[in-house]
Amino acid sequence: MIYKRQNKNKININPIQAGGILTKDARKTLIEWGDGYSVCDIWYSGKIDKIENPQIRKFINEDLPKFLGSDIARIIGGAREGICAIMHAVAKPGDIILVDENKHYTTILAAEKNGLKVVEVPNSGHPEYKIDVRDYEKLIKKHKPALILLTYPDGNYGNMPDAKKLGEIVIKYNIPYLLNAAYSAGRLPVDLIAINGDFIVASGHKSMAASEPIGVLGFRKKWKDTLFKKSFFYPDKEIEFLGHYQKGAPMMTLMASFPYVKKRVEEWEKQIEKARWFSAEMEKLGFKQLGEKPHNHDLLFFESPQLYKISQKHKEGRFFLYKELKKKGIYGIKPGLTKHFKLSTFAASKEELKKLLEVFKEILIK
Amino acid sequence: MIYKRQNKNKININPIQAGGILTKDARKTLIEWGDGYSVCDIWYSGKIDKIENPQIRKFINEDLPKFLGSDIARIIGGAREGICAIMHAVAKPGDIILVDENKHYTTILAAEKNGLKVVEVPNSGHPEYKIDVRDYEKLIKKHKPALILLTYPDGNYGNMPDAKKLGEIVIKYNIPYLLNAAYSAGRLPVDLIAINGDFIVASGHKSMAASEPIGVLGFRKKWKDTLFKKSFFYPDKEIEFLGHYQKGAPMMTLMASFPYVKKRVEEWEKQIEKARWFSAEMEKLGFKQLGEKPHNHDLLFFESPQLYKISQKHKEGRFFLYKELKKKGIYGIKPGLTKHFKLSTFAASKEELKKLLEVFKEILIK
């Protein structure tokens, strides 16, 4: 049975989709490598990062580390799997880890899975919900955490905390520092060494124009043996990810899109400009942007009590907004939300965003 | 950059690929859902198994359990991830688990990751390497294992141990019983309840005509809370797989191929007949089939000292066999092997296998 996707080729403002839309090359590559275990055609050495044709070795051992500013990079299933593996490697059950309050929920799940206690660095609350990285220091002194994590940016407000400054603080205490770059690596320049970090996790399907599930784990050399312990019984196999590299068609799409992704991060300033312009236009309509202002990321959160008021009288109820947008070919605001919602300006052009603004205007006038 | 696959549409006798070749419907579905996080178009409830359009709810909650004979099924990344999760749920560090000597290497890695000790039920050695499931009983009495695992079949010899008889033994001791069906579910009928098992893991990319990475974990109701503990902080999220169901394009290909896969398992007798015929033809050429005889699976292992002898004088050395087969459009024997090799007759037609036999004949005559 063929399953068709309804939202294909529409205006996409979904924060978790905007950075994962495949390039044309990735789309063609996907269909080439769709068969189960197809990459095993070329995978005979037991080490996927030894393959020269296609150039997987160079991609994993040179291109990705350079892109992330890490010494070493590994292909994994996604950012959350990377976070969980890092926690497993550097902390033991009962240890405390220190994370920002804006963390992704999977950070907490990974800590629970590893039996770790989590202490949170609070954000500034409504309306900006900012993380001041200086607040890590007193909690480091108090709790002596086994790991520091910073979400860069978070997935709700798109706030960009000062990762570099946190690196300067953390280095004094000799605690491993993990940057969750699921919403940054592939959208904007990130550099693990420049921020003095130990680990970075990136998401192929969230921000690197790749097919789910795929991610990248970058780290400093010194962590290699801790992270990737070898099996006692199979000395060439690593235990943490059960002896395999994530591969398959998703990895091939990551490779196929990579030249394009490398270029697009250089145009990040234009993305910020577009996001700020859009935010300002939304505020002219009476919506309130939460999170940092001026904003530094395409992920934007809005309060919209006007829409909530409309939904209470509308025959479609709280689904009216979703349906109005759908009529115009615009997807990505969660169905049923009206009081507040998040969206991304990353994939949509300024023209498309103008169309979105028009829809909001029409709704408010009606 | 577009990456082309060389081996596409060739005769495929690779044991880890033969059951994962996409159906036409899956290929069309793959390209529909290739974009990162595309399934989130339709995933708004927080529970992927609640989605009615397309019918993911029915697929996960009705079709898959019925197919595997389990009460409940979950989509996971692959069989190894399922094995690791089950070990994590039912055993604690230091516990002993009992597995067959023919187990996949990832069974051992999963045990190491969970801090478990492994006791193996030995096989019968050369030439059949059979597992007699009656041998589990004395080791159960001796070690009181926390988990029993049976590999059905193993990935080297394609031996099919008596899973049902093991169920009859295990039930007396009230020990959870896990069937690794990575090479069976999707190729032949399997039924967890019929064998009195507790858990079953299946592989979409190995045996269910799906795109990597995707698998299925089936289990009895009573294990639900043990396997899928909820987060204390996010009560609707399950910890083990960090709050997500494996989804994306691989899951959609699994669904797309499923009607076809359901049908093909009914034709398993024809597959056995083909495998036995091929094995007999190979033995006429002087090769020796190891593993069970008569054979009960498409995965076949051959000893071929004649080819090894040729390789020692051949200008291509040990790669001569791979290259000879490649010339004829036949892929799947590991490059460099000549002394012994494994292959699968699952995807190749009898006509294609005759072509393969001809190549062997020519090589031996030369």
Side-chain angles (χ1 to χ4, degrees):
Chain A
M1 182 163 173
I2 300 166
Y3 292 94
K4 291 275 179 190
R5 187 179 175 203
Q6 203 181 11
N7 305 11
K8 222 177 24 172
N9 305 323
K10 300 289 166 69
I11 299 175
N12 194 331
I13 54 169
N14 192 331
I16 61 169
Q17 293 184 332
I21 297 168
L22 296 187
T23 58
K24 275 183 196 159
D25 284 2
R27 225 172 281 282
K28 284 177 187 157
T29 298
L30 176 66
I31 205 68
E32 287 285 315
W33 299 90
D35 287 335
Y37 268 144
S38 59
V39 176
C40 295
D41 279 2
I42 46 175
W43 188 33
Y44 287 113
S45 68
K47 292 273 177 205
I48 199 157
D49 61 351
K50 298 276 185 284
I51 296 170
E52 298 280 349
N53 181 23
Q55 246 318 348
I56 300 178
R57 181 197 58 72
K58 182 172 171 292
F59 177 63
I60 295 177
N61 295 329
E62 296 173 23
D63 298 347
L64 284 175
K66 196 174 161 197
F67 185 68
L68 299 172
S70 64
D71 297 326
I72 302 176
R74 286 294 168 88
I75 305 285
I76 57 175
R80 67 186 78 190
E81 283 80 5
I83 290 171
C84 190
I86 292 160
M87 289 181 184
H88 189 224
V90 306
K92 55 183 192 308
D95 280 356
I96 289 173
I97 62 168
L98 190 56
V99 312
D100 57 295
E101 188 181 350
N102 294 349
K103 84 283 156 196
H104 195 249
Y105 79 89
T106 54
T107 294
I108 302 299
L109 264 59
E112 287 184 88
K113 186 166 174 180
N114 285 297
L116 309 180
K117 291 175 195 151
V118 178
V119 172
E120 291 188 359
V121 176
N123 63 39
S124 61
H126 192 277
E128 288 206 278
Y129 299 96
K130 281 174 93 155
I131 296 293
D132 184 340
V133 298
R134 288 170 302 187
D135 295 340
Y136 275 78
E137 190 152 16
K138 63 176 186 294
L139 293 169
I140 290 174
K141 285 180 187 163
K142 185 172 173 195
H143 297 289
K144 299 183 178 47
L147 178 71
I148 300 283
L149 181 144
L150 183 67
T151 315
Y152 182 80
D154 66 285
N156 265 325
Y157 307 106
N159 282 352
M160 295 286 283
D162 193 337
K164 191 153 190 252
K165 190 180 280 175
L166 181 55
E168 287 160 14
I169 294 167
V170 168
I171 206 165
K172 293 189 279 176
Y173 299 93
N174 197 27
I175 298 169
Y177 168 23
L178 158 59
L179 193 74
N180 179 355
Y183 278 109
S184 49
R187 289 164 123 101
L188 57 118
V190 289
D191 189 327
L192 184 65
I193 287 177
I195 65 154
N196 264 317
D198 294 88
F199 305 100
I200 182 169
V201 293
S203 169
H205 43 269
K206 266 188 181 159
S207 299
M208 297 176 81
S211 211
E212 186 187 4
I214 201 78
V216 187
L217 165 53
F219 55 99
R220 299 291 191 95
K221 252 197 305 272
K222 65 173 175 179
W223 292 107
K224 186 165 182 256
D225 294 338
T226 314
L227 259 177
F228 292 101
K229 286 196 191 78
K230 302 282 189 179
S231 163
F232 178 78
F233 302 97
Y234 299 88
D236 62 328
K237 301 286 187 186
E238 294 165 349
I239 294 171
E240 184 61 38
F241 293 107
L242 304 173
H244 75 160
Y245 288 74
Q246 203 76 21
K247 45 184 171 36
M251 186 196 69
M252 298 307 291
T253 63
L254 186 71
M255 272 179 73
S257 286
F258 188 67
Y260 162 86
V261 166
K262 260 198 314 190
K263 267 183 216 145
R264 80 181 183 189
V265 303
E266 288 167 17
E267 294 176 2
W268 180 239
E269 287 305 318
K270 286 185 200 160
Q271 286 285 353
I272 294 181
E273 184 272 329
K274 187 170 65 174
R276 288 181 181 179
W277 161 79
F278 182 78
S279 170
E281 293 297 316
M282 287 289 276
E283 297 224 318
K284 283 181 199 162
L285 296 178
F287 301 123
K288 184 179 171 64
Q289 185 229 305
L290 302 189
E292 283 175 347
K293 269 186 193 172
H295 208 62
N296 297 303
H297 197 272
D298 57 273
L299 205 163
L300 292 157
F301 190 105
F302 294 99
E303 279 183 339
S304 49
Q306 313 94 309
L307 298 178
Y308 175 65
K309 208 176 283 177
I310 293 169
S311 78
Q312 291 185 301
K313 295 174 191 166
H314 201 285
K315 68 176 194 300
E316 301 282 5
R318 64 192 185 93
F319 288 94
F320 93 94
L321 178 60
Y322 170 73
K323 289 185 178 174
E324 288 293 324
L325 292 171
K326 188 177 167 183
K327 269 188 229 162
K328 307 285 182 176
I330 300 169
Y331 283 88
I333 291 179
K334 201 168 166 170
L337 290 187
T338 58
K339 213 182 266 182
H340 48 68
F341 53 82
K342 54 184 184 177
L343 57 78
S344 163
T345 56
F346 189 73
S349 67
K350 215 160 167 176
E351 288 315 305
E352 290 172 329
L353 293 171
K354 279 180 186 164
K355 201 171 159 186
L356 172 59
L357 289 164
E358 282 307 315
V359 180
F360 282 126
K361 258 181 234 171
E362 279 169 32
I363 289 171
L364 293 174
I365 289 164
K366 265 196 238 169
Chain B
M1 183 164 173
I2 300 166
Y3 292 94
K4 292 274 179 191
R5 187 178 176 204
Q6 202 182 12
N7 305 11
K8 222 176 25 171
N9 305 323
K10 299 291 166 68
I11 299 175
N12 194 331
I13 54 170
N14 191 331
I16 61 170
Q17 294 183 332
I21 297 168
L22 296 187
T23 58
K24 274 183 196 159
D25 285 3
R27 224 172 282 281
K28 284 176 187 157
T29 298
L30 176 66
I31 205 68
E32 287 285 314
W33 299 90
D35 287 336
Y37 268 144
S38 59
V39 176
C40 295
D41 279 2
I42 46 175
W43 187 33
Y44 288 112
S45 68
K47 291 273 176 205
I48 199 157
D49 61 350
K50 297 278 184 283
I51 296 170
E52 298 280 349
N53 181 23
Q55 247 316 349
I56 300 178
R57 181 196 57 73
K58 181 171 170 292
F59 178 64
I60 295 178
N61 295 329
E62 297 174 23
D63 298 347
L64 284 175
K66 196 173 161 199
F67 184 69
L68 298 172
S70 64
D71 297 326
I72 302 177
R74 286 295 168 89
I75 305 285
I76 57 174
R80 67 186 78 190
E81 283 81 5
I83 290 171
C84 190
I86 292 160
M87 288 180 184
H88 189 225
V90 306
K92 55 182 193 307
D95 280 356
I96 289 173
I97 62 168
L98 191 56
V99 312
D100 57 294
E101 188 182 350
N102 293 349
K103 84 283 157 196
H104 195 250
Y105 79 89
T106 54
T107 295
I108 302 299
L109 264 59
E112 287 184 88
K113 186 167 175 181
N114 285 297
L116 309 179
K117 291 175 194 150
V118 178
V119 173
E120 291 188 358
V121 176
N123 63 39
S124 61
H126 192 277
E128 289 205 277
Y129 299 95
K130 281 174 93 155
I131 296 292
D132 184 340
V133 298
R134 288 170 301 187
D135 295 340
Y136 275 79
E137 190 152 15
K138 63 176 186 296
L139 292 169
I140 290 174
K141 285 180 186 162
K142 185 172 172 193
H143 297 289
K144 299 183 177 46
L147 178 71
I148 300 284
L149 180 144
L150 183 67
T151 314
Y152 182 81
D154 66 285
N156 265 326
Y157 307 106
N159 282 353
M160 296 286 283
D162 192 337
K164 190 153 191 252
K165 189 180 281 176
L166 181 55
E168 287 160 14
I169 294 167
V170 169
I171 207 165
K172 293 189 279 176
Y173 299 92
N174 197 27
I175 298 169
Y177 168 23
L178 158 59
L179 193 74
N180 179 356
Y183 278 109
S184 49
R187 289 165 124 101
L188 57 117
V190 289
D191 190 326
L192 184 65
I193 287 177
I195 65 154
N196 264 317
D198 294 87
F199 305 100
I200 182 169
V201 293
S203 169
H205 43 268
K206 265 188 182 159
S207 299
M208 297 177 82
S211 211
E212 185 186 3
I214 201 77
V216 187
L217 165 54
F219 55 100
R220 299 291 191 95
K221 252 197 305 274
K222 65 173 175 179
W223 292 108
K224 185 164 182 257
D225 295 338
T226 314
L227 259 177
F228 292 102
K229 286 195 191 78
K230 302 281 189 179
S231 163
F232 178 79
F233 302 96
Y234 299 88
D236 63 328
K237 301 286 188 186
E238 294 165 349
I239 295 171
E240 184 61 38
F241 292 108
L242 303 173
H244 75 161
Y245 288 74
Q246 202 76 21
K247 46 185 171 33
M251 187 196 68
M252 299 307 290
T253 63
L254 186 71
M255 273 179 72
S257 286
F258 188 67
Y260 162 87
V261 166
K262 261 199 312 191
K263 268 183 215 146
R264 81 180 183 189
V265 303
E266 288 167 17
E267 294 176 2
W268 180 239
E269 287 305 319
K270 285 185 201 161
Q271 286 285 353
I272 294 181
E273 184 271 328
K274 187 170 65 174
R276 288 181 180 179
W277 161 79
F278 181 78
S279 170
E281 292 297 316
M282 287 288 276
E283 298 224 318
K284 283 181 199 162
L285 296 178
F287 301 123
K288 183 179 172 64
Q289 185 229 305
L290 302 189
E292 283 174 347
K293 271 187 192 171
H295 208 62
N296 297 302
H297 196 272
D298 57 273
L299 204 163
L300 292 157
F301 190 105
F302 294 98
E303 279 183 339
S304 49
Q306 314 93 308
L307 298 178
Y308 175 65
K309 208 176 283 177
I310 293 169
S311 78
Q312 291 185 301
K313 295 174 192 166
H314 201 285
K315 68 177 193 298
E316 300 282 5
R318 64 193 185 92
F319 288 94
F320 92 94
L321 178 60
Y322 170 72
K323 290 186 177 174
E324 288 293 322
L325 292 171
K326 188 177 167 184
K327 269 188 228 162
K328 307 286 181 176
I330 301 169
Y331 283 88
I333 292 179
K334 201 168 168 170
L337 290 187
T338 57
K339 214 183 266 182
H340 48 67
F341 53 83
K342 53 184 184 177
L343 58 78
S344 163
T345 56
F346 189 73
S349 67
K350 214 160 168 176
E351 289 315 305
E352 291 173 328
L353 293 170
K354 278 180 187 163
K355 201 170 159 187
L356 172 60
L357 290 165
E358 283 307 314
V359 179
F360 282 126
K361 257 181 236 173
E362 279 169 33
I363 290 171
L364 293 173
I365 290 165
K366 266 195 236 168

